[in-house]
Amino acid sequence: MSETISIQEALIYVMVLTSASDGQMTDSELAAIGDMAKTLPVFDGFDPADVLPAAQRCGERVQGENGLSDLLALIADVLPVRLYDTAYALAVDVAAADMDVSREELRVLQLLRDRFDLDKLTVAAIERGALARHKRA
């Protein structure tokens, strides 16, 4: 994977990988991806209309021979270390969006934690925050 992508596209890939890992992307997950791409400061200058094309490119890349492994390496190479926790937080928010975190989503989250070498305290804080944000009344 010699082709490079933007930081924002790498973050879209993280969210798409998480959402699609269980074989389906729910409306809640898709809405969460779109909303984050429209509102979060890390996406300043990113055109929300580019979310779908980026998601499609992610899907194409993951279909390759070592798709998931290569994609995770690309993401980690593109993202500055200071955004690793941000990427993980986006993935957790997407997984929590439909309040049904699948085994496959948990596995992707584990792969991201390992790839980004996130400490347990950071991971716990991110996950607890997502749980609090996505609770229903």
Side-chain angles (χ1 to χ4, degrees), residues 19-71:
S19 177
S21 64
D22 60 0
Q24 61 181 348
M25 294 180 77
T26 67
D27 290 341
S28 298
E29 292 169 338
L30 290 169
I33 293 169
D35 289 347
M36 287 187 274
K38 288 178 194 167
T39 60
L40 294 179
V42 75
F43 288 103
D44 283 351
F46 182 78
D47 184 352
D50 291 336
V51 170
L52 183 57
Q56 291 168 332
R57 287 189 294 273
C58 178
E60 291 166 6
R61 286 176 182 261
V62 80
Q63 297 301 320
E65 187 175 328
N66 297 312
L68 181 58
S69 178
D70 288 348
L71 202 49

Side-chain angles (χ1 to χ4, degrees), residues 10-135:
L11 294 171
I12 297 294
Y13 285 15
V14 165
M15 293 187 287
V16 169
L17 280 176
T18 305
S19 177
S21 64
D22 60 0
Q24 61 181 348
M25 294 180 77
T26 67
D27 290 341
S28 298
E29 292 169 338
L30 290 169
I33 293 169
D35 289 347
M36 287 187 274
K38 288 178 194 167
T39 60
L40 294 179
V42 75
F43 288 103
D44 283 351
F46 182 78
D47 184 352
D50 291 336
V51 170
L52 183 57
Q56 291 168 332
R57 287 189 294 273
C58 178
E60 291 166 6
R61 286 176 182 261
V62 80
Q63 297 301 320
E65 187 175 328
N66 297 312
L68 181 58
S69 178
D70 288 348
L71 202 49
L72 290 172
L74 174 65
I75 290 165
D77 287 346
V78 167
L79 291 177
V81 173
R82 66 181 173 76
L83 290 179
Y84 283 0
D85 57 350
T86 301
Y88 186 71
L90 296 176
V92 170
D93 272 347
V94 167
D98 61 4
M99 294 305 290
D100 182 29
V101 181
S102 70
R103 280 189 140 151
E104 296 84 2
E105 288 170 328
L106 289 172
R107 179 66 184 135
V108 168
L109 293 174
Q110 178 65 53
L111 291 170
L112 291 170
R113 284 192 303 266
D114 293 346
R115 176 65 67 165
F116 297 152
D117 195 29
L118 296 174
D119 66 87
K120 290 181 182 189
L121 199 55
T122 298
V123 167
I126 289 169
E127 291 174 354
R128 183 65 183 111
L131 181 62
R133 279 189 302 282
H134 292 279
K135 278 187 183 173

